[in-house]
Amino acid sequence: MAAAPAAAGSGAGRGRRSAATVAAWGGWGGRPRPSNILLQLRQGQLTGRGLVRAVQFTETFLTERDKQSKWSGIPQLLLKLHATSHLHSDFAECQNILKEISPLLSMEAMAFVTEERKLTQETTYPNTYIFDLFGGVDLLVEILMRPTISIRGQKLKISDEMSKDCLSILYNTCVCTEGVTKRLAEKNDFVIFLFTLMTSKKTFLQTATLIEDILGVKKEMIRLDEVPNLSSLVSNFDQQQLANFCRILAVTISEMDTGNDDKHTLLAKNAQQKKSLSLGPSAAEINQASLVFPPPGASEENGLPHTSARTQLPQSMKIMHEIMYKLEVLYVLCVLLMGRQRNQVHRMIAEFKLIPGLNNLFDKLIWRKHSASALVLHGHNQNCDCSPDITLKIQFLRLLQSFSDHHENKYLLLNNQELNELSAISLKANIPEVEAVLNTDRSLVCDGKRGLLTRLLQVMKKEPAESSFRFWQARAVESFLRGTTSYADQMFLLKRGLLEHILYCIVDSECKSRDVLQSYFDLLGELMKFNVDAFKRFNKYINTDAKFQVFLKQINSSLVDSNMLVRCVTLSLDRFENQVDMKVAEVLSECRLLAYISQVPTQMSFLFRLINIIHVQTLTQENVSCLNTSLVILMLARRKERLPLYLRLLQRMEHSKKYPGFLLNNFHNLLRFWQQHYLHKDKDSTCLENSSCISFSYWKETVSILLNPDRQSPSALVSYIEEPYMDIDRDFTEE
């Protein structure tokens, strides 16, 4: 236990000294040892025993010691602060002492954050360090939390001004002294209490800043449903407060990163999902739900449903002047759109017209032209990916991607005239109009001459070749096409020159960025899939052998990047070959790309390389598409009763490479993993079915046939692996 505190004041030194104090003096009657005191205080801070606070020393002792060590009188001020902050004090003198302490720490914090960390020669230890070492941090936490204590049924109160001073001092100490933020993060009741201080505009900014720092180092995320009256708290924020609060929400609703690279593999993700199922939803998932649904007992009048942050999110973006706040709002929306409450968030975003709001802001805020004085971070330039303007654009594109991906609300990105154009395309092609277009609430779509999707296409085509936006722009447009293939959606984009733009970037500009190439190949695949008009346009643009060879070179340079296009062309070829139509026949006879893919040696070359570049231990969300593309090639071969031929050719290719069994053993393990991964994930299986137009049952049957253990089966992989090279039962966890 800590030593009993000595009485503060001028006569405090006449009583008995604690054993710890005696030790600090070097024994009875000795002189104070300069290093001994701080060492013991540090030890006490770590163990909770011995010397832990200024109140355990006499004022005389502290004053004498301060003359030698230049502590700026901080220990003595803490002694007085303790004496004037007890439960029955009026706190007036307490606030005066805080005013004395605050400037001693604020100048130090300012120097620290501006990297001018030059301590004056006469100061051995920083003021913030001394403040913390003598118990200042714990004392301020106690003072701030006094309102949680009741005396005779009445809650204690302290002024907003005093709370503001305490928060500022705590923040400055966190900035300068290592370990303080982590210690505060361990005080869960204090972290939850801090949220209540955001009800006052006077203390809001200091509180929000401190909470953000604390949550950034907290090992276990807090639960928002534990914050008292969260609903009414948020509903009373003005627009700028709400934007600031989004910086905190961004931390609370994001899954905590363990920093382990292995988490990116599907093996590790599957293991984590199994663990999560046994543990229940994570704190981040619970917090997302708390934002979307008001907590039990929340008043409809004061809660989220009516006044609410929900109505203020679009409005706040119109009036915020600080770009980083806009960024946090977009980030929070992105996370919510990817969470378990996605459908509810979609409904809210649609209802409160966020998309038309973003469309109106597009030119003057999101993609506005910047002057030479545009905001940039220290040490960076306007074109740097770290620039706030660039980060805002990327976050905006990520929001569009999350909003459009496999959701019928994607048509809100169009205006009424553009929706009519989709209907006209379907009518002209004599195909049923897309049901989601018919169901779109016209009062919620974009207004003005152009919708948000069209605006995005315009800036995409003007983007410089080296721009970092190209990847995200392509991803956002591709998400509009994902899911069940829509001819009308494809034609809408083809009419606006998107295919020619993509081919120019791939072939004529000979793009070198792997990320950009992957996004363009994925987009091109979705744009051309099953679309005869798209293949005609492709053949018109790629009108020489030289251009076609450049295109093939880009495809073959990295199949991980281009395999989705290979898959879409392979699927399209199969459909076209089964159609009786003059227009289709013409395309089949003229298109270089279709002719190239139709050759069995070409398909076998792709198949061999697709299987060879992936292994179970290295499968990720990015490269698992290679496995599914190889399966598409084999499923189509099975339809034509050519599956044994393809397997036999793979066996021959293995032998020609002097590695018999290597490829087919690997493929066998990959297919075993495929069964584990996809047979328990409804969303993934639905995506496979929708994107390929092949029933998921046919996917499962084909995998089962390939994994048949009967060596007499002509369609089983084991039939083509010679006994000495058989290695099909390896544990997935083995390296």
Side-chain angles (χ1 to χ4, degrees), residues 85-88 91 141-158 193:
S85 63
H86 56 80
L87 293 178
H88 300 287
F91 294 118
V141 169
E142 291 173 8
I143 292 172
L144 279 170
M145 293 190 71
R146 290 285 158 79
T148 64
I149 301 172
S150 296
I151 296 181
R152 299 188 186 92
Q154 291 189 334
K155 295 264 187 182
L156 295 175
K157 293 182 180 179
I158 61 174
F193 168 76

PDB file of all heavy atoms in Angstrom, residues 85-88 91 141-158 193:
ATOM      1  N   SER A  85      -8.834  20.534  -3.836  1.00  0.00           N
ATOM      2  CA  SER A  85      -9.756  19.836  -4.733  1.00  0.00           C
ATOM      3  C   SER A  85     -10.509  18.715  -4.027  1.00  0.00           C
ATOM      4  O   SER A  85     -11.007  17.808  -4.688  1.00  0.00           O
ATOM      5  CB  SER A  85      -8.992  19.261  -5.935  1.00  0.00           C
ATOM      6  OG  SER A  85      -8.044  18.299  -5.510  1.00  0.00           O
ATOM      7  N   HIS A  86     -10.577  18.770  -2.697  1.00  0.00           N
ATOM      8  CA  HIS A  86     -11.297  17.714  -1.985  1.00  0.00           C
ATOM      9  C   HIS A  86     -12.800  17.872  -2.207  1.00  0.00           C
ATOM     10  O   HIS A  86     -13.276  18.875  -2.752  1.00  0.00           O
ATOM     11  CB  HIS A  86     -10.956  17.738  -0.492  1.00  0.00           C
ATOM     12  CG  HIS A  86     -11.218  19.058   0.156  1.00  0.00           C
ATOM     13  ND1 HIS A  86     -12.471  19.460   0.549  1.00  0.00           N
ATOM     14  CD2 HIS A  86     -10.369  20.077   0.485  1.00  0.00           C
ATOM     15  CE1 HIS A  86     -12.413  20.654   1.083  1.00  0.00           C
ATOM     16  NE2 HIS A  86     -11.127  21.056   1.063  1.00  0.00           N
ATOM     17  N   LEU A  87     -13.554  16.907  -1.782  1.00  0.00           N
ATOM     18  CA  LEU A  87     -14.976  16.839  -2.121  1.00  0.00           C
ATOM     19  C   LEU A  87     -15.776  18.046  -1.657  1.00  0.00           C
ATOM     20  O   LEU A  87     -16.768  18.421  -2.278  1.00  0.00           O
ATOM     21  CB  LEU A  87     -15.583  15.558  -1.531  1.00  0.00           C
ATOM     22  CG  LEU A  87     -15.078  14.240  -2.134  1.00  0.00           C
ATOM     23  CD1 LEU A  87     -15.718  13.062  -1.425  1.00  0.00           C
ATOM     24  CD2 LEU A  87     -15.373  14.180  -3.626  1.00  0.00           C
ATOM     25  N   HIS A  88     -15.370  18.645  -0.540  1.00  0.00           N
ATOM     26  CA  HIS A  88     -16.174  19.735   0.026  1.00  0.00           C
ATOM     27  C   HIS A  88     -15.643  21.115  -0.341  1.00  0.00           C
ATOM     28  O   HIS A  88     -16.119  22.120   0.178  1.00  0.00           O
ATOM     29  CB  HIS A  88     -16.237  19.594   1.548  1.00  0.00           C
ATOM     30  CG  HIS A  88     -16.861  18.296   1.994  1.00  0.00           C
ATOM     31  ND1 HIS A  88     -18.213  18.054   1.884  1.00  0.00           N
ATOM     32  CD2 HIS A  88     -16.298  17.170   2.494  1.00  0.00           C
ATOM     33  CE1 HIS A  88     -18.468  16.825   2.331  1.00  0.00           C
ATOM     34  NE2 HIS A  88     -17.325  16.268   2.707  1.00  0.00           N
ATOM     35  N   PHE A  91     -13.686  24.666  -5.251  1.00  0.00           N
ATOM     36  CA  PHE A  91     -12.900  24.532  -6.479  1.00  0.00           C
ATOM     37  C   PHE A  91     -12.412  25.859  -7.068  1.00  0.00           C
ATOM     38  O   PHE A  91     -11.779  25.867  -8.119  1.00  0.00           O
ATOM     39  CB  PHE A  91     -13.682  23.781  -7.575  1.00  0.00           C
ATOM     40  CG  PHE A  91     -13.956  22.349  -7.230  1.00  0.00           C
ATOM     41  CD1 PHE A  91     -15.254  21.878  -7.100  1.00  0.00           C
ATOM     42  CD2 PHE A  91     -12.913  21.457  -7.026  1.00  0.00           C
ATOM     43  CE1 PHE A  91     -15.506  20.563  -6.789  1.00  0.00           C
ATOM     44  CE2 PHE A  91     -13.160  20.134  -6.718  1.00  0.00           C
ATOM     45  CZ  PHE A  91     -14.461  19.677  -6.588  1.00  0.00           C
ATOM     46  N   VAL A 141      -7.580  13.182 -13.279  1.00  0.00           N
ATOM     47  CA  VAL A 141      -8.644  12.219 -13.582  1.00  0.00           C
ATOM     48  C   VAL A 141      -9.668  12.210 -12.447  1.00  0.00           C
ATOM     49  O   VAL A 141     -10.879  12.210 -12.689  1.00  0.00           O
ATOM     50  CB  VAL A 141      -8.059  10.809 -13.806  1.00  0.00           C
ATOM     51  CG1 VAL A 141      -9.172   9.759 -13.845  1.00  0.00           C
ATOM     52  CG2 VAL A 141      -7.245  10.765 -15.104  1.00  0.00           C
ATOM     53  N   GLU A 142      -9.168  12.225 -11.198  1.00  0.00           N
ATOM     54  CA  GLU A 142     -10.072  12.248 -10.041  1.00  0.00           C
ATOM     55  C   GLU A 142     -10.906  13.522 -10.025  1.00  0.00           C
ATOM     56  O   GLU A 142     -12.120  13.485  -9.749  1.00  0.00           O
ATOM     57  CB  GLU A 142      -9.262  12.136  -8.757  1.00  0.00           C
ATOM     58  CG  GLU A 142      -8.615  10.766  -8.560  1.00  0.00           C
ATOM     59  CD  GLU A 142      -7.680  10.741  -7.357  1.00  0.00           C
ATOM     60  OE1 GLU A 142      -7.668  11.735  -6.606  1.00  0.00           O
ATOM     61  OE2 GLU A 142      -6.972   9.734  -7.173  1.00  0.00           O
ATOM     62  N   ILE A 143     -10.272  14.670 -10.322  1.00  0.00           N
ATOM     63  CA  ILE A 143     -10.997  15.944 -10.314  1.00  0.00           C
ATOM     64  C   ILE A 143     -12.086  15.944 -11.390  1.00  0.00           C
ATOM     65  O   ILE A 143     -13.231  16.335 -11.143  1.00  0.00           O
ATOM     66  CB  ILE A 143     -10.024  17.118 -10.532  1.00  0.00           C
ATOM     67  CG1 ILE A 143      -9.100  17.268  -9.308  1.00  0.00           C
ATOM     68  CG2 ILE A 143     -10.782  18.421 -10.775  1.00  0.00           C
ATOM     69  CD1 ILE A 143      -7.981  18.272  -9.503  1.00  0.00           C
ATOM     70  N   LEU A 144     -11.715  15.499 -12.599  1.00  0.00           N
ATOM     71  CA  LEU A 144     -12.692  15.481 -13.695  1.00  0.00           C
ATOM     72  C   LEU A 144     -13.888  14.591 -13.384  1.00  0.00           C
ATOM     73  O   LEU A 144     -15.027  14.893 -13.770  1.00  0.00           O
ATOM     74  CB  LEU A 144     -12.023  15.000 -14.986  1.00  0.00           C
ATOM     75  CG  LEU A 144     -11.225  16.029 -15.781  1.00  0.00           C
ATOM     76  CD1 LEU A 144     -10.439  15.353 -16.888  1.00  0.00           C
ATOM     77  CD2 LEU A 144     -12.146  17.101 -16.376  1.00  0.00           C
ATOM     78  N   MET A 145     -13.636  13.490 -12.681  1.00  0.00           N
ATOM     79  CA  MET A 145     -14.707  12.527 -12.419  1.00  0.00           C
ATOM     80  C   MET A 145     -15.472  12.811 -11.128  1.00  0.00           C
ATOM     81  O   MET A 145     -16.320  12.015 -10.740  1.00  0.00           O
ATOM     82  CB  MET A 145     -14.132  11.109 -12.396  1.00  0.00           C
ATOM     83  CG  MET A 145     -13.612  10.659 -13.757  1.00  0.00           C
ATOM     84  SD  MET A 145     -13.196   8.895 -13.813  1.00  0.00           S
ATOM     85  CE  MET A 145     -14.827   8.146 -13.755  1.00  0.00           C
ATOM     86  N   ARG A 146     -15.187  13.934 -10.487  1.00  0.00           N
ATOM     87  CA  ARG A 146     -15.941  14.286  -9.272  1.00  0.00           C
ATOM     88  C   ARG A 146     -17.451  14.335  -9.508  1.00  0.00           C
ATOM     89  O   ARG A 146     -18.233  13.967  -8.621  1.00  0.00           O
ATOM     90  CB  ARG A 146     -15.448  15.638  -8.720  1.00  0.00           C
ATOM     91  CG  ARG A 146     -14.049  15.592  -8.117  1.00  0.00           C
ATOM     92  CD  ARG A 146     -14.041  14.924  -6.746  1.00  0.00           C
ATOM     93  NE  ARG A 146     -12.735  14.425  -6.377  1.00  0.00           N
ATOM     94  CZ  ARG A 146     -11.726  15.141  -5.907  1.00  0.00           C
ATOM     95  NH1 ARG A 146     -11.864  16.439  -5.764  1.00  0.00           N
ATOM     96  NH2 ARG A 146     -10.592  14.567  -5.579  1.00  0.00           N
ATOM     97  N   PRO A 147     -17.918  14.790 -10.681  1.00  0.00           N
ATOM     98  CA  PRO A 147     -19.374  14.822 -10.909  1.00  0.00           C
ATOM     99  C   PRO A 147     -20.039  13.449 -10.870  1.00  0.00           C
ATOM    100  O   PRO A 147     -21.272  13.362 -10.821  1.00  0.00           O
ATOM    101  CB  PRO A 147     -19.492  15.440 -12.314  1.00  0.00           C
ATOM    102  CG  PRO A 147     -18.261  16.261 -12.470  1.00  0.00           C
ATOM    103  CD  PRO A 147     -17.199  15.504 -11.762  1.00  0.00           C
ATOM    104  N   THR A 148     -19.265  12.371 -10.903  1.00  0.00           N
ATOM    105  CA  THR A 148     -19.863  11.033 -10.818  1.00  0.00           C
ATOM    106  C   THR A 148     -20.135  10.627  -9.371  1.00  0.00           C
ATOM    107  O   THR A 148     -20.730   9.590  -9.113  1.00  0.00           O
ATOM    108  CB  THR A 148     -18.935   9.980 -11.464  1.00  0.00           C
ATOM    109  OG1 THR A 148     -17.706   9.909 -10.720  1.00  0.00           O
ATOM    110  CG2 THR A 148     -18.640  10.333 -12.915  1.00  0.00           C
ATOM    111  N   ILE A 149     -19.660  11.455  -8.425  1.00  0.00           N
ATOM    112  CA  ILE A 149     -19.825  11.157  -7.003  1.00  0.00           C
ATOM    113  C   ILE A 149     -21.022  11.920  -6.457  1.00  0.00           C
ATOM    114  O   ILE A 149     -21.205  13.099  -6.743  1.00  0.00           O
ATOM    115  CB  ILE A 149     -18.557  11.537  -6.210  1.00  0.00           C
ATOM    116  CG1 ILE A 149     -17.344  10.767  -6.756  1.00  0.00           C
ATOM    117  CG2 ILE A 149     -18.738  11.270  -4.718  1.00  0.00           C
ATOM    118  CD1 ILE A 149     -16.023  11.218  -6.167  1.00  0.00           C
ATOM    119  N   SER A 150     -21.837  11.244  -5.670  1.00  0.00           N
ATOM    120  CA  SER A 150     -23.003  11.890  -5.047  1.00  0.00           C
ATOM    121  C   SER A 150     -22.761  12.062  -3.553  1.00  0.00           C
ATOM    122  O   SER A 150     -22.246  11.161  -2.884  1.00  0.00           O
ATOM    123  CB  SER A 150     -24.268  11.054  -5.259  1.00  0.00           C
ATOM    124  OG  SER A 150     -24.587  10.967  -6.621  1.00  0.00           O
ATOM    125  N   ILE A 151     -23.101  13.232  -3.033  1.00  0.00           N
ATOM    126  CA  ILE A 151     -23.055  13.489  -1.586  1.00  0.00           C
ATOM    127  C   ILE A 151     -24.456  13.880  -1.150  1.00  0.00           C
ATOM    128  O   ILE A 151     -25.007  14.873  -1.628  1.00  0.00           O
ATOM    129  CB  ILE A 151     -22.055  14.613  -1.250  1.00  0.00           C
ATOM    130  CG1 ILE A 151     -20.635  14.190  -1.627  1.00  0.00           C
ATOM    131  CG2 ILE A 151     -22.126  14.962   0.237  1.00  0.00           C
ATOM    132  CD1 ILE A 151     -19.585  15.227  -1.302  1.00  0.00           C
ATOM    133  N   ARG A 152     -24.997  13.049  -0.260  1.00  0.00           N
ATOM    134  CA  ARG A 152     -26.373  13.245   0.218  1.00  0.00           C
ATOM    135  C   ARG A 152     -27.359  13.343  -0.954  1.00  0.00           C
ATOM    136  O   ARG A 152     -28.251  14.181  -0.968  1.00  0.00           O
ATOM    137  CB  ARG A 152     -26.468  14.498   1.090  1.00  0.00           C
ATOM    138  CG  ARG A 152     -25.601  14.435   2.342  1.00  0.00           C
ATOM    139  CD  ARG A 152     -25.888  15.626   3.251  1.00  0.00           C
ATOM    140  NE  ARG A 152     -24.977  15.648   4.383  1.00  0.00           N
ATOM    141  CZ  ARG A 152     -23.833  16.310   4.384  1.00  0.00           C
ATOM    142  NH1 ARG A 152     -23.461  16.973   3.298  1.00  0.00           N
ATOM    143  NH2 ARG A 152     -23.048  16.302   5.451  1.00  0.00           N
ATOM    144  N   GLY A 153     -27.138  12.472  -1.947  1.00  0.00           N
ATOM    145  CA  GLY A 153     -28.069  12.407  -3.068  1.00  0.00           C
ATOM    146  C   GLY A 153     -27.848  13.452  -4.142  1.00  0.00           C
ATOM    147  O   GLY A 153     -28.562  13.475  -5.142  1.00  0.00           O
ATOM    148  N   GLN A 154     -26.865  14.352  -3.938  1.00  0.00           N
ATOM    149  CA  GLN A 154     -26.615  15.395  -4.922  1.00  0.00           C
ATOM    150  C   GLN A 154     -25.274  15.173  -5.609  1.00  0.00           C
ATOM    151  O   GLN A 154     -24.273  14.890  -4.954  1.00  0.00           O
ATOM    152  CB  GLN A 154     -26.634  16.779  -4.259  1.00  0.00           C
ATOM    153  CG  GLN A 154     -28.021  17.198  -3.785  1.00  0.00           C
ATOM    154  CD  GLN A 154     -28.028  18.660  -3.332  1.00  0.00           C
ATOM    155  OE1 GLN A 154     -27.002  19.186  -2.928  1.00  0.00           O
ATOM    156  NE2 GLN A 154     -29.191  19.295  -3.398  1.00  0.00           N
ATOM    157  N   LYS A 155     -25.282  15.338  -6.941  1.00  0.00           N
ATOM    158  CA  LYS A 155     -24.061  15.171  -7.718  1.00  0.00           C
ATOM    159  C   LYS A 155     -23.177  16.406  -7.572  1.00  0.00           C
ATOM    160  O   LYS A 155     -23.660  17.538  -7.567  1.00  0.00           O
ATOM    161  CB  LYS A 155     -24.398  14.975  -9.202  1.00  0.00           C
ATOM    162  CG  LYS A 155     -25.152  13.691  -9.491  1.00  0.00           C
ATOM    163  CD  LYS A 155     -24.212  12.609  -9.918  1.00  0.00           C
ATOM    164  CE  LYS A 155     -24.965  11.372 -10.385  1.00  0.00           C
ATOM    165  NZ  LYS A 155     -24.076  10.288 -10.771  1.00  0.00           N
ATOM    166  N   LEU A 156     -21.872  16.168  -7.462  1.00  0.00           N
ATOM    167  CA  LEU A 156     -20.932  17.280  -7.434  1.00  0.00           C
ATOM    168  C   LEU A 156     -20.798  17.885  -8.818  1.00  0.00           C
ATOM    169  O   LEU A 156     -20.957  17.200  -9.827  1.00  0.00           O
ATOM    170  CB  LEU A 156     -19.561  16.800  -6.950  1.00  0.00           C
ATOM    171  CG  LEU A 156     -19.494  16.307  -5.499  1.00  0.00           C
ATOM    172  CD1 LEU A 156     -18.107  15.756  -5.210  1.00  0.00           C
ATOM    173  CD2 LEU A 156     -19.807  17.453  -4.541  1.00  0.00           C
ATOM    174  N   LYS A 157     -20.503  19.162  -8.890  1.00  0.00           N
ATOM    175  CA  LYS A 157     -20.356  19.830 -10.170  1.00  0.00           C
ATOM    176  C   LYS A 157     -19.049  20.604 -10.205  1.00  0.00           C
ATOM    177  O   LYS A 157     -18.616  21.156  -9.198  1.00  0.00           O
ATOM    178  CB  LYS A 157     -21.523  20.797 -10.420  1.00  0.00           C
ATOM    179  CG  LYS A 157     -22.865  20.110 -10.612  1.00  0.00           C
ATOM    180  CD  LYS A 157     -23.959  21.134 -10.896  1.00  0.00           C
ATOM    181  CE  LYS A 157     -25.314  20.446 -11.095  1.00  0.00           C
ATOM    182  NZ  LYS A 157     -26.376  21.445 -11.353  1.00  0.00           N
ATOM    183  N   ILE A 158     -18.426  20.601 -11.389  1.00  0.00           N
ATOM    184  CA  ILE A 158     -17.283  21.491 -11.598  1.00  0.00           C
ATOM    185  C   ILE A 158     -17.559  22.266 -12.878  1.00  0.00           C
ATOM    186  O   ILE A 158     -18.291  21.808 -13.757  1.00  0.00           O
ATOM    187  CB  ILE A 158     -15.942  20.730 -11.702  1.00  0.00           C
ATOM    188  CG1 ILE A 158     -15.934  19.748 -12.877  1.00  0.00           C
ATOM    189  CG2 ILE A 158     -15.628  20.002 -10.422  1.00  0.00           C
ATOM    190  CD1 ILE A 158     -14.589  19.085 -13.086  1.00  0.00           C
ATOM    191  N   PHE A 193     -16.543   8.025 -19.370  1.00  0.00           N
ATOM    192  CA  PHE A 193     -16.961   9.290 -18.764  1.00  0.00           C
ATOM    193  C   PHE A 193     -16.632  10.483 -19.664  1.00  0.00           C
ATOM    194  O   PHE A 193     -17.399  11.456 -19.732  1.00  0.00           O
ATOM    195  CB  PHE A 193     -16.280   9.464 -17.399  1.00  0.00           C
ATOM    196  CG  PHE A 193     -16.416  10.840 -16.822  1.00  0.00           C
ATOM    197  CD1 PHE A 193     -17.606  11.259 -16.247  1.00  0.00           C
ATOM    198  CD2 PHE A 193     -15.350  11.743 -16.879  1.00  0.00           C
ATOM    199  CE1 PHE A 193     -17.740  12.543 -15.735  1.00  0.00           C
ATOM    200  CE2 PHE A 193     -15.475  13.019 -16.372  1.00  0.00           C
ATOM    201  CZ  PHE A 193     -16.671  13.422 -15.790  1.00  0.00           C
TER     202      PHE A 193
END
